[in-house]
Amino acid sequence: EESGRRAAAWAIERSGVPDRTELRLLAVVFDWCYPLFSDSNRARVAERMARGVEKILPQRGLRPLSSAVLASIALADDWPGSEQALTTAFEKRWRTELLPALRDGRGLGPPADAVAFLEMCHPAQDNLNLDLWSQAPAFFRQFPVYLLLNYYPAPIVVEGHRFRRPAELTTAQSDPAALGELAR
């Protein structure tokens, strides 16, 4: 509860129109710490978040969309524009901009966009009964493999040649120079 009070105090003391990163954080704090806000502070934070959604929702890309969706869902009972913002997000942005890219095999973009997308999927399913994964099944069958491959270690350069360090079952570290030499 003490951590929640600190998070709520942080949200209350912020000012100006939030950028996409701050809007995402405000959405999490607003949702998780809702009962810790007084009515006046809740209204103040909600109004600020609503201005952030209006500014960020038109921006292209998954990260702005995800932040706007998270905030709109968190604001559902506190902002009359929430429903319209979610309609814009899913009927316009998702269906016309992002879903066609997934169906054409163009993917989600950089790994940070994939994380933003995953953050948006759960509340969309739980609060709106909207299963985004079912709308592009071919892409999402391969998506877990894509996410795992993002963690593949960076190559090691030995005498101008690039080598990948294999996964090891022991805790002992191998010598990349020796492995590179043996691999050549």
Side-chain angles (χ1 to χ4, degrees), residues 2-78:
E2 179 55 34
S3 295
R5 291 192 193 290
R6 283 196 313 269
W10 170 84
I12 292 164
E13 68 189 28
R14 307 295 295 176
S15 63
V17 179
D19 63 13
R20 73 169 187 240
T21 303
E22 186 180 356
L23 183 61
R24 178 192 161 278
L25 293 173
L26 285 168
V28 171
V29 170
F30 195 79
D31 184 45
W32 290 2
C33 304
Y34 193 85
L36 301 176
F37 288 98
S38 69
D39 290 344
S40 63
N41 284 334
R42 185 179 301 122
R44 182 173 162 225
V45 173
E47 189 274 330
R48 187 164 174 268
M49 289 171 60
R51 286 187 288 138
V53 170
E54 291 169 344
K55 172 189 166 196
I56 291 165
L57 186 57
Q59 296 175 7
R60 296 187 58 80
L62 263 169
R63 284 179 274 178
L65 179 66
S66 176
S67 294
V69 166
L70 292 175
S72 296
I73 289 173
L75 290 170
D77 294 330
D78 295 275

Side-chain angles (χ1 to χ4, degrees), residues 11-155:
I12 292 164
E13 68 189 28
R14 307 295 295 176
S15 63
V17 179
D19 63 13
R20 73 169 187 240
T21 303
E22 186 180 356
L23 183 61
R24 178 192 161 278
L25 293 173
L26 285 168
V28 171
V29 170
F30 195 79
D31 184 45
W32 290 2
C33 304
Y34 193 85
L36 301 176
F37 288 98
S38 69
D39 290 344
S40 63
N41 284 334
R42 185 179 301 122
R44 182 173 162 225
V45 173
E47 189 274 330
R48 187 164 174 268
M49 289 171 60
R51 286 187 288 138
V53 170
E54 291 169 344
K55 172 189 166 196
I56 291 165
L57 186 57
Q59 296 175 7
R60 296 187 58 80
L62 263 169
R63 284 179 274 178
L65 179 66
S66 176
S67 294
V69 166
L70 292 175
S72 296
I73 289 173
L75 290 170
D77 294 330
D78 295 275
W79 178 44
S82 174
E83 185 176 347
Q84 181 57 45
L86 291 168
T87 299
T88 299
F90 291 111
E91 295 297 323
K92 295 180 181 166
R93 298 284 310 286
W94 169 252
R95 288 186 196 255
T96 62
E97 178 185 332
L98 301 167
L99 186 57
L102 296 180
R103 288 181 175 161
D104 293 344
R106 288 179 271 157
L108 293 170
D113 284 357
V115 171
F117 176 75
L118 290 173
E119 279 188 328
M120 182 175 69
C121 285
H122 185 68
Q125 174 70 41
D126 286 354
N127 295 281
L128 308 173
N129 200 26
L130 182 60
D131 183 3
L132 302 177
W133 287 44
S134 68
Q135 296 178 27
F139 175 80
F140 288 110
R141 270 192 297 280
Q142 300 299 318
F143 191 50
V145 174
Y146 164 78
L147 291 174
L148 287 172
L149 290 175
N150 278 317
Y151 293 104
Y152 198 74

